[in-house]
Amino acid sequence: MVPIDSTQVMTELQDTIVNCRQCPRLVVWREKIADEKRRQFMDDTYWGKAVPSFGDYQAQFLIVGLAPAAHGANRTGRMFTGDRSGDWLYRALYKVGFANQPTSTDINDGLTLTNCLITATCHCAPPQNKLTAEEIRTCRPFLMREFAALRNLKVILALGKIAFDGVLKTLQEETGESPGKYTFGHGVEYLLPGNRVLLGSYHPSQQNTFTGRLTEPMFDAIFSRACTLLASTEST
Ligand code: SF4
């Protein structure tokens, strides 16, 4: 049997995602935002399309966010790049060695990830950061295909409850079995079928970071735990 080439499968999948127009409401919104722009980014050429996953296609560690931000990834074309949530995420990834630099400003800033891939529940920016159930369902096959392509996947981190539920639903469809009763919370950890571990974290949105619901030590602890889990799987 010919082994699956994760890199080739993932490259083709990301091309498909970028060209996807399955959700009419999101297509209209992402293009409207790209056309109108925010005043501070008037000189930027907005991406305005579905945003592909970013990182290492051989990764053991997968991070699942909600969706691109209107003036963040929908502008820059790279997950969590160009907004406050990304500032938190890439700083945390840098501290534990998944990222080669702590900041992420634009698609040509030299950022690379090692052993880590960032994807999302939906790959298009939604109005008011709110997705419909149908949009989540429509985009889910992309996540399922990523699970299948990432042959080394060991740890999945869901940022926020919607991503957490989306991962469980995807796994349910992948295995045909109910994944059981898992409750979302910051720092929760569950062993999933296939010896993969699911971690939950509050999303580093300003709604959480400005209010103190999520602090930097709380967020950093999640990534330290992911590193410990990956190290433990290597030694078994
Ligand atoms: S959210 Fe997903 S399924 Fe919907 S248009 Fe974007 S890429 Fe396609």
Side-chain angles (χ1 to χ4, degrees):
M1 199 162 81
V2 180
I4 292 175
D5 180 342
S6 295
T7 300
Q8 187 185 341
V9 171
M10 286 294 288
T11 302
E12 289 172 3
L13 178 57
Q14 301 314 316
D15 283 348
T16 304
I17 290 172
V18 168
N19 290 303
C20 182
R21 303 179 66 84
Q22 292 183 80
C23 304
R25 186 184 78 117
L26 300 184
V27 170
V28 168
W29 180 254
R30 73 193 191 193
E31 292 177 358
K32 179 176 183 290
I33 291 292
D35 187 42
E36 292 176 354
K37 304 183 183 181
R38 179 179 278 171
R39 185 181 302 195
Q40 77 190 98
F41 302 123
M42 268 306 158
D43 293 337
D44 290 16
T45 301
Y46 273 55
W47 178 254
K49 293 177 276 192
V51 179
S53 303
F54 171 61
D56 184 347
Y57 289 167
Q58 306 289 333
Q60 295 176 298
F61 182 36
L62 178 68
I63 299 172
V64 185
L66 175 65
H71 300 279
N74 187 57
R75 172 174 58 90
T76 62
R78 193 170 67 194
M79 286 290 177
F80 282 94
T81 296
D83 62 35
R84 295 282 175 85
S85 297
D87 291 347
W88 275 61
L89 179 59
Y90 287 115
R91 194 161 60 236
L93 289 171
Y94 174 72
K95 285 180 195 169
V96 287
F98 289 115
N100 68 330
Q101 59 189 46
T103 57
S104 171
T105 53
D106 63 79
I107 206 163
N108 297 312
D109 61 11
L111 176 68
T112 58
L113 300 181
T114 302
N115 205 19
C116 172
L117 183 83
I118 302 174
T119 186
T121 309
C122 278
H123 287 261
C124 295
Q128 282 76 52
N129 276 330
K130 287 195 169 32
L131 297 161
T132 66
E134 187 183 350
E135 287 158 356
I136 293 172
R137 209 167 29 246
T138 305
C139 211
R140 190 176 297 133
F142 290 138
L143 187 57
M144 202 180 314
R145 286 164 69 181
E146 288 185 321
F147 281 166
L150 294 170
R151 311 297 291 176
N152 305 318
L153 184 58
K154 302 279 187 219
V155 178
I156 304 164
L157 169 60
L159 298 176
K161 184 175 185 328
I162 293 173
F164 185 85
D165 291 345
V167 168
L168 291 173
K169 191 77 186 158
T170 304
L171 291 168
Q172 185 179 354
E173 290 183 8
E174 181 193 53
T175 61
E177 295 171 13
S178 169
K181 286 202 185 315
Y182 300 129
T183 307
F184 174 72
H186 185 80
V188 295
E189 179 178 324
Y190 299 104
L191 186 61
L192 299 171
N195 251 354
R196 295 170 291 193
V197 175
L198 173 61
L199 296 176
S201 167
Y202 294 150
H203 192 285
S205 64
Q206 287 180 292
Q207 206 178 351
N208 289 328
T209 57
F210 274 19
T211 57
R213 184 169 190 244
L214 179 64
T215 64
E216 197 150 342
M218 284 169 68
F219 201 45
D220 289 347
I222 298 289
F223 294 89
S224 296
R225 181 60 186 152
C227 288
T228 302
L229 287 165
L230 290 174
S232 70
T233 59
E234 269 165 22
S235 61
T236 52

